[in-house]
Amino acid sequence: MGERTQAALGCLTVAAGAGTGLAVWAVGVRERLWRFEQSPDWKVLYAELPLAILGGIAVGLAVWALAQRVRSRRSARRGP
């Protein structure tokens, strides 16, 4: 696999992780933002949203690192 392909797949993995974090955050956001008979809870936007996206990116990077490690071990077993 070439360097450009690895870089592209790494970027796609991180983007997928960010999208997954955003999707997980979006589940039930209306109920968390608008509590019953209360004003909007803005920490849902300025605290939870960035943490969900960063968490998704971190999971994506961990998956990418694990895949690279498994791939390098398989190529080391095959030999030169």
Side-chain angles (χ1 to χ4, degrees):
M1 185 182 314
E3 287 183 28
R4 288 186 182 193
T5 306
Q6 284 183 335
L9 288 176
C11 289
L12 287 174
T13 303
V14 169
T20 302
L22 181 62
V24 168
W25 172 82
V27 173
V29 71
R30 176 170 263 168
E31 290 81 24
R32 291 191 319 265
L33 184 62
W34 293 97
R35 303 285 182 195
F36 181 70
E37 292 185 6
Q38 292 181 359
S39 62
D41 188 8
W42 295 110
K43 73 176 180 183
V44 171
L45 294 177
Y46 70 79
E48 289 182 15
L49 177 59
L51 287 175
I53 292 174
L54 288 174
I57 290 172
V59 168
L61 288 173
V63 167
W64 178 252
L66 181 63
Q68 290 298 314
R69 187 173 185 150
V70 168
R71 185 173 177 270
S72 68
R73 284 192 179 184
R74 283 187 182 173
S75 64
R77 285 185 194 168
R78 284 189 224 158

